[in-house]
Amino acid sequence: MAAAASAHPVAAPRVGLLYDERMCAHATPDGEDHPENPERLRAIWRKLNAEGVASRCVVLKAKEAEDKYIAAVHSQSHVKLMKEISSKKYDASRNKIARRFNSIYFNKGSSESAVLAAGSVIDVAEKVAAGELTSAIALVRPPGHHAEHNEAMGFCLFNNVAVAANYLLNERPDLGIKKILIVDWDVHHGNATQKMFYKDPRVLFFSVHRFDYGSFYPSEGDASHCFIGEEAGKGYNINVPWEHGKCGDADYIAAWEHVLLPVTEAFDPDMIMVSAGFDAALGDPLGGCCITPNGYALLLTKLLGFAQGRIVMALEGGYNLRSIANSVFACAKVLLGDKFTFNSPEMQPFESTWRVIQAVRDELKTCWPVLSSKLPHNVSLRIKPSPSELFASSDSESESEDVYEFSGAVESINVIQVADDGISEHLSKMKLDEDNLALKTGSSCSTAEQHPTDSVEVHNNASVVLSKRISDLSLAWRSDLSIIHVWYASFGSNMWKPRFLCYIQGGKAEGMSIPCCGSRDTSSPRGTVWKTVPHRLLFGRSSTPCWGSGGVAFLNPEINYNEQSYVCMYKITLEQFNDILFQENRLVLEDSKDGNVVYPDSPLIGSSEMEFMSTNKAINLEPIKGSWYSNVLYLGNEDGLPILTMTCPSSDIELFKTGELPLVPPSKTYAATLIKGLVEGKQLDPDEAANYISSAAASGL
Ligand code: X5A
Ligand code: ZN
């Protein structure tokens, strides 16, 4: 390579690039598809080689972590379990143990991959700290930032970045790294890293992530901006929680300019570690955000001016192979010192971004006085994405390939005028039938407005032709909704699978006095996943036609971070979800003449209701006002699909509070059904399950 003529030639940076096929051994046990799969590493590695970037780096092999270094941030028993989970001893119980964790699989390669991932980040961090490398990228998996002290979680087994940061601070004082900034730009909150350094002022943890008011994975309240650290660590934990998807370069740059960079300047770290997930990238199937490769390059460039450029990047999430390959490629070029030209396409942060940034600054300004200044007030902002944009899937691969040709990201925010708040208000008040839009597939992060123009005319003058059209339409919704999948989150008796299946296949399970008619589509759920949600479980009303006397389960629609209720999520079609709503709300009739079942001929949750929920998080179904389960809640997103549940409206909660509706414990049979669900679902043992139900029944509202 010809060096450019310069008065002060600067030595080429030595950029570490760690890749090792051994970290591809961790995979699903039976080859099931999973977003966190070995191809992620291979796709990145192929791209870096094809572009001639790998050969410009110092390529390193993975290295195992010593137990004691992992055990400095994890419990001994967790280290032991993760190290043994791939051994013969666990052949029979491995899958069962995986199900005890949230979003975890194990196979025979998991233990070695996990130890190598942690050891590799230690190794590159040590080399950067020692000055052997200028900076480094560790292509590791499994990822780490969700892995808690005593728990694997969210595709993560060991918290690789936390292990390495702890190693430098506590084991290698000789290397002189006294303060570390961890920048977690994975689209998910770095819950575990936050906890591990919550009281530690030597580690400034900064995480920017989707929060969606608490509904985005990992759906814990501590991802909010109010969590700023404790004791000596107060002020050294910074969360920037996005309110919705579709955030892109402009939003991230704004968080950098107005939060991260001023604080980093004041903190003056000795090293920066990036929890570099690329699931906020354009095209990612889980993230729903849209950072371009140039956007990542710019975010990284802005960090290079600190800590003498000592940056260690460790891969976390990122599930679109093209997007992650292109994004890592862009980052590698930044570290190698390639010049980027960052143009300023017309791009503006969301109005919500500005609100979030202001809230973060307010929360932290006493700790970081530099945040007390006024934000520029005449910034040009755009309104939050339209509802149809928010539910649109964003995993088009060709699209993310195209974006690589995109010329650049914003350099600074240009200022024109403040968004009109009235527009978002209008959106939330939109009448349901005003916008009978088809769900958009594929997404763009363009700012183009989506207008609800294509409403289907069904309320028209009567004519033979039209009535035929109506009946066609009444079936058409079924085929439209049969190709859309959702997670139905059950929290009551439906947690017991045989009972839930009655709603799909018809019939009745043990303890039920009347049978279900089932769904028109009797196919089994495509998946089952358990999780807990921050909502109160309550039991109320005094009897049901099906279960007899005793209260039935409701979920308080209000989010309450002090509550953890179990939900069993079934992946079903939106058609099946509607059929469950019909049955729960007793809308399926039996024709008195032929005994055939008659379903309502339009869905309760169609595309427009989905859109409404994407912005409002809940929808009270007007057509069945007064029914017990007329309130559909959007509880977030699981692997790219919306999580929905059905419960009572908030107005009923008020009636429960005043006693106009009674809070009544469940009957023995009904409680037994819930307990069976929790036990057979391997969530709780029988005693714990009984406790869970009785304490939910005992605590008032
Ligand atoms: C590392 C990471 C995501 C887990 C999502 C689970 N984990 N639904 O991106
Ligand atoms: Zn992630």
Side-chain angles (χ1 to χ4, degrees):
M1 233 183 1
S6 161
H8 306 284
V10 187
R14 290 174 55 84
V15 178
L17 176 62
L18 188 145
Y19 173 81
D20 200 314
E21 181 67 22
R22 286 177 294 168
M23 282 183 283
C24 295
H26 172 62
T28 52
D30 295 307
E32 306 93 328
D33 287 347
H34 195 284
E36 205 293 281
N37 63 64
E39 291 309 313
R40 298 174 59 236
L41 290 190
R42 296 189 182 116
I44 298 169
W45 182 239
R46 267 199 305 274
K47 175 78 180 177
L48 298 182
N49 280 285
E51 299 286 351
V53 156
S55 60
R56 297 170 58 198
C57 297
V58 180
V59 173
L60 301 164
K61 284 272 162 244
K63 198 175 152 185
E64 299 204 340
E66 288 183 43
D67 291 7
K68 62 178 178 193
Y69 299 140
I70 306 176
V73 302
H74 290 286
S75 69
Q76 288 285 359
S77 61
H78 178 68
V79 177
K80 186 163 186 288
L81 179 61
M82 293 304 106
K83 291 201 65 171
E84 291 181 356
I85 195 67
S86 298
S87 68
K88 258 210 168 66
K89 170 176 158 194
Y90 283 104
D91 278 353
S93 58
R94 194 175 296 128
N95 292 346
K96 194 177 136 189
I97 293 172
R99 284 194 295 270
R100 291 209 312 247
F101 298 110
N102 172 338
S103 305
I104 286 294
Y105 63 77
F106 299 121
N107 72 340
K108 294 204 155 103
S110 301
S111 298
E112 186 181 31
S113 296
V115 172
L116 288 170
S120 298
V121 182
I122 294 180
D123 190 44
V124 298
E126 178 180 322
K127 290 190 161 73
V128 171
E132 262 177 68
L133 296 171
T134 318
S135 59
I137 303 178
L139 300 176
V140 296
R141 61 180 291 280
H145 70 155
H146 296 307
E148 295 276 13
H149 180 70
N150 191 31
E151 193 171 9
M153 178 179 159
F155 317 159
C156 302
L157 305 189
F158 294 136
N159 191 335
N160 311 313
V161 166
V163 168
N166 179 80
Y167 171 81
L168 291 183
L169 293 171
N170 294 330
E171 304 287 340
R172 298 302 304 273
D174 56 305
L175 296 175
I177 303 296
K178 299 196 175 84
K179 288 179 286 177
I180 299 179
L181 166 67
I182 299 179
V183 175
D184 188 330
W185 72 36
D186 185 282
V187 77
H188 303 98
H189 179 229
N191 53 290
T193 315
Q194 164 165 313
K195 288 199 196 86
M196 286 163 177
F197 301 109
Y198 206 60
K199 296 179 177 176
D200 193 337
R202 300 172 303 169
V203 175
L204 172 55
F205 179 62
F206 172 92
S207 180
V208 52
H209 44 267
R210 275 184 72 177
F211 185 56
D212 298 39
Y213 309 101
S215 67
F216 200 77
Y217 190 87
S219 311
E220 279 157 16
D222 65 359
S224 101
H225 63 285
C226 304
F227 287 74
I228 62 169
E230 245 167 39
E231 297 174 21
K234 187 169 173 198
Y236 296 87
N237 193 84
I238 304 182
N239 286 323
V240 177
W242 299 140
E243 291 180 0
H244 51 71
K246 295 283 140 133
C247 291
D249 297 347
D251 304 287
Y252 281 81
I253 294 299
W256 256 231
E257 296 293 344
H258 302 296
V259 181
L260 178 59
L261 300 179
V263 173
T264 301
E265 168 98 56
F267 179 61
D268 189 22
D270 301 314
M271 169 174 291
I272 300 178
M273 304 191 67
V274 185
S275 257
F278 292 94
D279 41 12
L282 176 58
D284 190 274
L286 268 58
C289 288
C290 36
I291 306 181
T292 67
N294 277 278
Y296 282 113
L298 183 52
L299 296 176
L300 186 58
T301 300
K302 287 176 184 286
L303 296 176
L304 269 183
F306 303 98
Q308 301 168 54
R310 285 192 285 248
I311 295 189
V312 170
M313 301 180 63
L315 185 67
E316 299 277 3
Y319 307 101
N320 178 315
L321 301 185
R322 290 177 196 273
S323 305
I324 62 178
N326 291 335
S327 301
V328 175
F329 172 45
C331 290
K333 285 193 291 186
V334 167
L335 296 183
L336 284 164
D338 290 2
K339 290 279 166 285
F340 271 76
T341 44
F342 297 112
N343 302 329
S344 305
E346 283 166 50
M347 244 200 254
Q348 305 145 351
F350 289 113
E351 153 281 308
S352 59
T353 292
W354 217 242
R355 184 167 55 244
V356 168
I357 286 175
Q358 187 57 255
V360 174
R361 288 168 60 100
D362 280 345
E363 200 69 41
L364 284 154
K365 66 186 176 208
T366 55
C367 307
W368 302 101
V370 63
L371 299 180
S372 351
S373 61
K374 276 246 171 316
L375 284 179
H377 62 282
N378 52 348
V379 174
S380 161
L381 303 168
R382 54 186 176 130
I383 59 159
K384 75 175 146 192
S386 72
S388 59
E389 281 181 287
L390 282 170
F391 268 124
S393 94
S394 54
D395 53 3
S396 155
E397 293 222 328
S398 57
E399 182 180 71
S400 58
E401 189 171 47
D402 297 344
V403 298
Y404 196 61
E405 310 307 325
F406 176 69
S407 57
V410 271
E411 176 66 333
S412 67
I413 294 155
N414 288 320
V415 171
I416 310 169
Q417 57 164 120
V418 184
D420 175 5
D421 248 333
I423 301 179
S424 41
E425 202 185 307
H426 167 76
L427 277 176
S428 62
K429 285 182 180 157
M430 243 172 2
K431 281 205 265 29
L432 296 185
D433 49 357
E434 215 169 77
D435 58 340
N436 206 343
L437 269 182
L439 269 189
K440 242 178 71 179
T441 51
S443 86
S444 74
C445 274
S446 82
T447 53
E449 280 304 302
Q450 192 69 38
H451 285 297
T453 48
D454 320 323
S455 65
V456 181
E457 291 287 341
V458 288
H459 312 289
N460 220 322
N461 298 326
S463 76
V464 180
V465 178
L466 190 59
S467 73
K468 178 168 178 346
R469 259 186 61 209
I470 292 171
S471 70
D472 286 353
L473 280 172
S474 76
L475 287 175
W477 74 264
R478 289 193 169 270
S479 52
D480 288 350
L481 302 191
S482 71
I483 55 169
I484 297 171
H485 283 84
V486 299
W487 292 98
Y488 158 55
S490 60
F491 52 82
S493 59
N494 291 345
M495 288 191 299
W496 189 42
K497 201 157 193 168
R499 193 277 174 268
F500 166 70
L501 289 177
C502 298
Y503 280 138
I504 299 293
Q505 293 156 0
K508 57 183 189 183
E510 195 185 309
M512 293 164 62
S513 56
I514 45 177
C516 296
C517 62
S519 172
R520 287 275 286 258
D521 172 359
T522 59
S523 52
S524 301
R526 311 281 171 93
T528 309
V529 171
W530 286 83
K531 77 187 250 149
T532 56
V533 294
H535 292 264
R536 162 71 70 87
L537 177 68
L538 59 128
F539 293 92
R541 299 190 178 262
S542 41
S543 72
T544 71
C546 180
W547 300 95
S549 61
V552 292
F554 295 99
L555 213 56
N556 187 336
E558 197 107 320
I559 292 181
N560 178 346
Y561 294 119
N562 299 319
E563 302 289 342
Q564 291 282 300
S565 295
Y566 286 88
V567 294
C568 179
M569 312 199 301
Y570 300 102
K571 189 182 189 175
I572 58 175
T573 69
L574 193 48
E575 178 192 13
Q576 292 175 316
F577 184 75
N578 275 283
D579 283 334
I580 296 170
L581 265 171
F582 295 154
Q583 294 170 79
E584 285 280 18
N585 290 294
R586 316 200 61 72
L587 297 171
V588 189
L589 304 172
E590 203 159 296
D591 193 309
S592 51
K593 284 177 281 187
D594 51 17
N596 281 343
V597 285
V598 182
Y599 298 86
D601 57 18
S602 57
L604 287 161
I605 301 290
S607 317
S608 53
E609 288 75 18
M610 291 290 281
E611 292 173 28
F612 183 89
M613 263 188 294
S614 72
T615 23
N616 296 280
K617 310 289 160 195
I619 187 167
N620 275 300
L621 298 167
E622 274 306 311
I624 55 167
K625 207 167 164 176
S627 290
W628 291 10
Y629 291 95
S630 62
N631 188 12
V632 173
L633 299 187
Y634 168 64
L635 296 174
N637 170 294
E638 175 77 13
D639 296 349
L641 296 177
I643 304 170
L644 306 180
T645 194
M646 53 192 79
T647 187
C648 62
S650 304
S651 53
D652 283 3
I653 296 292
E654 294 314 307
L655 302 178
F656 282 123
K657 283 183 184 159
T658 62
E660 279 164 85
L661 280 174
L663 287 166
V664 176
S667 71
K668 266 212 162 81
T669 26
Y670 186 74
T673 310
L674 274 81
I675 292 168
K676 258 190 277 191
L678 290 157
V679 173
E680 285 177 21
K682 313 232 160 44
Q683 298 305 295
L684 295 174
D685 66 35
D687 289 345
E688 292 168 336
N691 266 330
Y692 166 70
I693 301 301
S694 57
S695 64
S699 45
L701 256 167

